[in-house]
Amino acid sequence: MKKIFNIFAAVLLLCVLASCKGFLDEHVPQAALNEDQVKDPENAEHLVVAAYAIFTSAEDINSSFSMWNFDVRSDDAYKGGNGTNDGDVFHQLEIQQGVLTTNWNINDMWVRLYNCISRVNIALSVLESCDESFEAKQQRIAEMKFMRAYAHFLLKRLYKNIPFVMKSDLTYEEYNTLSNREFTNDEGWQQIINDLMVAFNTLPEQQEELGRPTKGAAAAFLTKVYLYKAYRQDDPNSNQVTSINQDDLQKVIEFSDPAYYGNYGLEKDIHNNFRPEEQYENGRESIWAIQYSRNDGSTYGNLNWSYGLIPPSIPGVTDGGCDFYKPSQNLVNAYRTGTDGLPLLDNFNDQNYDKSADNADPRLFLTVGIPDLPYMFNKNYIIEKNHTWSRSNGLYGYNVTLKQNVDPALANVYLIKGSYWASSMNRIVFRYADVLLERAEAYAQMGNTTEAMNLVNRIRSRAAGSTQMIASYPADYGVSFKVNAYTGSYSKDDAIKRVKMERRLELGMECERFFDLVRWGEAEKVLNKFYAEEIDNCNIYKDAHFTADKDEYLPIPFEQISASNGHYTQNIGNW
């Protein structure tokens, strides 16, 4: 089946449509099509494909829409690279010191995502003008509103107070009067929900072309947005959670109902979600994914370059790998389990992880490459404590992330060298395990702890069986797998604690952690504790400090404030 994200097909279409006034304008579409062009379904379809394509072509190694560059603020990951000056603006974010509104990365992501919204709105403006004889009109409108919601969602998690560009035919005059405080935080989430409800009510349960969202994808997206919305942060002078809204939690339950996910489910092994081979991509757990490809007739194919800084530099294999986004020792320790096979919720970080003495959740070895163990499960590449496995000579430790990387044996097949390393492996945006854990969280917050823990145990049961790649590790490397289900009953607070821990274990290094901490209102407490405990493992944190009511969100970029004619207000925190 065709992949709708094929960039190079879209580039050809862009050439056809280049005469459209403002087509590549940074913010405002204003496409100048004549009446016949507007009515032409072929032109509308071309614009839709171009809108999909920008969600791959507009990102790069420094501004990945996966958000790994910004997840270095969490306790899951170190920035990595050659040292603190290598990507220094991300080092500033990592320790939450010296971040400036003029830093290039603060403005760069803003511009890239509003470019995506611009491209979507161009498509919408033409679709809305199309003759009703265009049978796919309403479905394509729904797809574009899903994509607009996606861009606004990424922006809102980063910056909180953003302008919402909800009119497809916005004029320059209207754009210049947009405010980033037009809506409260709660109302902002509702703008995203409004687009998603159009998608949910219109999209089919299955799509012929890979990459187009389905009704299930809209349901998964609504589940996530309502969960964010539930944790109210509507005090304009604070980023603290002031309440947890029960009606929003009920919406999480509604949209995570299994009835909407008939075609989806858990993979037998979690690692299947992170394999590049075609037989694993778009599997049953992948509800909606950004589609990448190879061998499509172009030099490099529609590859994912946004992970280009992450591979380590293995001589003769991944030469030039930059070794960014390295798993923290804190994350490694979080996978320790006790004699009961359950997480050590409160004391997992009391001592450094010792694989010869402790039990571990198998997901550890599918998430983190650890010294003395194979890299990407390939025994020809054993990770060592040397410069090969740490460009910073151990400043950021020697652990390597696995979920974004590809087995070196697949170099020149699924792992391609250009200016940086790229892969054809899809990036799953919404996977079914995440939906189950969001449903569990809503149940736990509503006091239905039995249902919450049943869902957590489904994830843990899958974790116990996720050993296809690491079955030999106990015999070969002396590690011990032990992960069991929870038994008995739990109070509301205890159930919530366990759900939150399970999110970290299941979604480790998938760029959700920092945003979860902010959503829960726990970022200051968790991260300042993390800094204090990590100094021995990664001494960059000696000057780190997380400031509440400031560091939860990026500042509004200086360039955008300056160009807004007074219509944008800076985020709180004395930037």
Side-chain angles (χ1 to χ4, degrees), residues 360-553:
D361 187 317
R363 288 174 292 187
L364 167 61
F365 307 104
L366 302 173
T367 304
V368 184
I370 299 171
D372 301 324
L373 297 181
Y375 171 62
M376 295 308 302
F377 324 108
N378 188 326
K379 294 182 180 182
N380 293 318
Y381 304 99
I382 302 297
I383 301 169
E384 300 177 24
K385 291 185 176 181
N386 59 31
H387 183 70
T388 295
W389 299 101
S390 175
R391 286 182 65 229
S392 64
N393 285 316
L395 176 63
Y396 296 105
Y398 299 92
N399 298 324
V400 183
T401 184
L402 300 181
K403 288 182 176 177
Q404 291 86 5
N405 281 318
V406 173
D407 183 351
L410 299 178
N412 302 316
V413 181
Y414 296 103
L415 182 64
I416 309 296
K417 175 67 172 174
S419 299
Y420 293 89
W421 287 98
S423 169
S424 62
M425 180 169 61
N426 288 354
R427 175 171 63 82
I428 299 176
V429 178
F430 302 116
R431 67 178 178 99
Y432 191 61
D434 192 8
V435 174
L436 292 181
L437 288 170
E438 289 163 342
R439 185 174 177 85
E441 186 175 332
Y443 271 132
Q445 289 287 7
M446 296 173 74
N448 190 339
T449 60
T450 299
E451 285 296 326
M453 297 312 298
N454 284 342
L455 290 165
V456 167
N457 282 338
R458 284 184 64 184
I459 301 297
R460 293 188 64 75
S461 294
R462 194 269 293 276
S466 294
T467 58
Q468 62 176 332
M469 305 303 294
I470 56 176
S472 68
Y473 280 25
D476 292 348
Y477 305 106
V479 303
S480 175
F481 304 149
K482 192 163 190 178
V483 56
N484 290 328
Y486 290 100
T487 58
S489 59
Y490 293 91
S491 68
K492 176 180 175 179
D493 287 345
D494 285 344
I496 291 170
K497 178 187 288 189
R498 284 156 178 78
V499 171
K500 289 177 177 178
M501 184 63 162
E502 201 63 30
R503 278 193 67 79
R504 188 180 190 193
L505 301 176
E506 177 68 16
L507 302 173
M509 302 303 287
E510 293 181 47
C511 315
E512 291 287 312
R513 177 65 173 171
F514 180 80
F515 300 111
D516 278 346
L517 291 174
V518 171
R519 173 167 63 84
W520 297 327
E522 297 177 359
E524 178 192 26
K525 177 182 176 181
V526 170
L527 293 178
N528 282 330
K529 182 174 185 289
F530 167 67
Y531 300 151
E533 293 177 347
E534 280 293 300
I535 291 175
D536 289 341
N537 297 312
C538 189
N539 66 19
I540 66 161
Y541 292 116
K542 64 182 184 300
D543 298 319
H545 181 75
F546 188 97
T547 301
D549 297 328
K550 176 187 177 185
D551 294 333
E552 292 89 350
Y553 297 96

Side-chain angles (χ1 to χ4, degrees), residues 96-166:
Q96 298 291 0
Q97 299 296 309
V99 179
L100 301 176
T101 64
T102 53
N103 283 359
W104 68 262
N105 60 333
I106 305 299
N107 188 61
D108 189 67
M109 183 59 84
W110 178 287
V111 170
R112 288 175 187 274
L113 285 169
Y114 277 107
N115 281 344
C116 291
I117 292 170
S118 175
R119 190 79 64 86
V120 167
N121 279 341
I122 291 166
L124 278 170
S125 67
V126 174
L127 284 166
E128 289 163 354
S129 300
C130 272
D131 192 282
E132 291 299 327
S133 62
F134 176 29
E135 292 182 4
K137 174 180 176 178
Q138 296 307 320
Q139 182 175 318
R140 296 293 182 259
I141 288 174
E143 291 173 18
M144 291 296 93
K145 291 195 172 184
F146 180 99
M147 299 304 291
R148 185 167 68 184
Y150 179 51
H152 278 129
F153 174 75
L154 296 181
L155 283 159
K156 183 151 179 52
R157 288 204 304 182
L158 284 173
Y159 301 93
K160 187 179 183 180
N161 297 298
I162 62 169
F164 285 87
V165 190
M166 305 301 290

Side-chain angles (χ1 to χ4, degrees), residues 153-359:
F153 174 75
L154 296 181
L155 283 159
K156 183 151 179 52
R157 288 204 304 182
L158 284 173
Y159 301 93
K160 187 179 183 180
N161 297 298
I162 62 169
F164 285 87
V165 190
M166 305 301 290
K167 288 182 63 178
S168 60
D169 58 350
L170 197 71
T171 66
Y172 281 102
E173 290 72 22
E174 289 173 317
Y175 175 77
N176 287 331
T177 60
L178 284 178
S179 167
N180 72 327
R181 297 297 182 100
E182 179 180 359
F183 303 105
T184 66
N185 190 55
D186 179 53
E187 291 168 346
W189 290 122
Q190 189 62 48
Q191 300 308 302
I192 296 172
I193 288 168
N194 292 345
D195 267 352
L196 288 175
M197 284 306 302
V198 174
F200 177 79
N201 290 325
T202 308
L203 292 174
E205 292 185 4
Q206 290 183 289
Q207 290 271 25
E208 230 179 274
E209 293 179 301
L210 300 174
R212 294 189 190 272
T214 61
K215 187 182 188 72
F221 201 169
L222 282 162
T223 298
K224 185 174 286 289
V225 176
Y226 269 114
L227 193 57
Y228 273 84
K229 185 173 181 287
Y231 291 83
R232 296 295 171 87
Q233 297 181 23
D234 277 327
D235 181 349
N237 299 310
S238 169
N239 291 327
Q240 303 309 302
V241 175
T242 57
S243 64
I244 301 175
N245 186 273
Q246 297 295 301
D247 290 339
D248 289 337
L249 292 176
Q250 189 57 53
K251 287 292 187 181
V252 174
I253 300 301
E254 176 184 338
F255 288 108
S256 61
D257 190 302
Y260 298 131
Y261 301 92
N263 298 317
Y264 306 106
L266 294 178
E267 290 277 1
K268 183 178 180 181
D269 190 305
I270 183 178
H271 179 59
N272 290 351
N273 293 298
F274 307 100
R275 299 191 67 165
E277 300 95 328
E278 286 81 359
Q279 64 266 35
Y280 293 103
E281 294 205 307
N282 300 298
R284 66 194 310 261
E285 195 165 337
S286 176
I287 297 174
W288 185 64
I290 302 296
Q291 304 289 314
Y292 299 99
S293 62
R294 63 192 182 95
N295 299 334
D296 63 356
S298 60
T299 301
Y300 288 118
N302 177 30
L303 296 168
N304 178 8
W305 297 98
S306 75
Y307 290 158
L309 295 178
I310 294 178
S313 182
I314 306 172
V317 183
T318 54
D319 296 291
C322 294
D323 195 36
F324 277 77
Y325 198 45
K326 294 177 76 67
S328 71
Q329 189 61 42
N330 184 284
L331 176 64
V332 171
N333 292 349
Y335 286 97
R336 296 168 64 194
T337 59
T339 56
D340 57 2
L342 299 177
L344 307 178
L345 294 169
D346 298 313
N347 62 345
F348 67 85
N349 206 42
D350 283 355
Q351 60 182 3
N352 288 337
Y353 175 74
D354 177 0
K355 66 178 179 293
S356 68
D358 290 328
N359 299 311

